[in-house]
Amino acid sequence: MVSALICNGSRVLTPGEATSIRRVISKPSNRALFDLMLYTGLRLEEVRQLVEHPEIFDEERRVLVIKSGKAKASQKTRNVILSDNGLEAVRAFLQAPKMPTSSSAWQTNLIRWSKIAGLSPLPDRSGEGGNAYGITVRTSRKTWESWLLTAYEGKAVKIALSQGHTESTALGHYLNLSFTDQERESIVEEVRGWRA
């Protein structure tokens, strides 16, 4: 059995796990949000920017121009580069943009869908308020960055800038995850079209 991947307390999804979760999300607006967050690495507050200002989506350049909400941010704005799946996810989300009521409500949904999808619980996590799966609101963001670094190891600086991280954060947290060879092949398909 292959163990789950964890990065700083949050589960990092394999392509198979992401597909399993997507299949059990019955509400189209929730599926659109899941795909948007997975294929862009956006934080919930950045999704709100897209809802309130859809003009930040530059379809021709394949980017979302995100303004930082952090006072001490080294980048005041950043271009989130879109893959083919990311481009489709933004288009689909903007058809009927809908925000969850709160980040805790979104996390509750993610945990529920993970259970229904049959994801394996993590060892020693049973006492964590029902989150035996390690799924957090940061899971999609951590998953996306780790997938990009797996597929494009030589583009760590561009990936970090696109995700609003320093190169040391990207390398220290996401580069050394142990995806199987089959997962790596699937990751290349999931990130197809991402270019910097």
Side-chain angles (χ1 to χ4, degrees), residues 51-64:
V51 170
E52 294 172 358
H53 301 282
E55 68 274 9
I56 68 173
F57 174 39
D58 186 335
E59 189 166 359
E60 188 176 329
R61 295 191 187 280
R62 297 173 63 109
V63 297
L64 293 169

Side-chain angles (χ1 to χ4, degrees), residues 18-19 21-23 25 27-42 47 82-83 85-93 106 110 113 140 144 147 190:
T19 298
I21 292 171
R22 185 181 300 108
R23 284 184 185 142
I25 302 174
K27 197 178 213 182
S29 62
N30 283 338
R31 195 173 323 105
L33 179 59
F34 178 81
D35 284 346
L36 176 74
M37 293 182 72
L38 178 65
Y39 291 119
T40 63
L42 291 180
V47 173
L82 300 174
S83 65
N85 283 337
L87 194 61
E88 289 305 314
V90 173
R91 287 176 184 147
F93 179 77
W106 183 245
L110 291 169
W113 296 326
S140 54
W144 184 242
W147 286 5
E190 294 285 355

Side-chain angles (χ1 to χ4, degrees), residues 4-24:
L5 298 170
I6 302 294
C7 176
N8 291 346
S10 294
R11 189 179 197 129
V12 172
L13 300 174
T14 66
E17 289 172 331
T19 298
S20 294
I21 292 171
R22 185 181 300 108
R23 284 184 185 142
V24 302

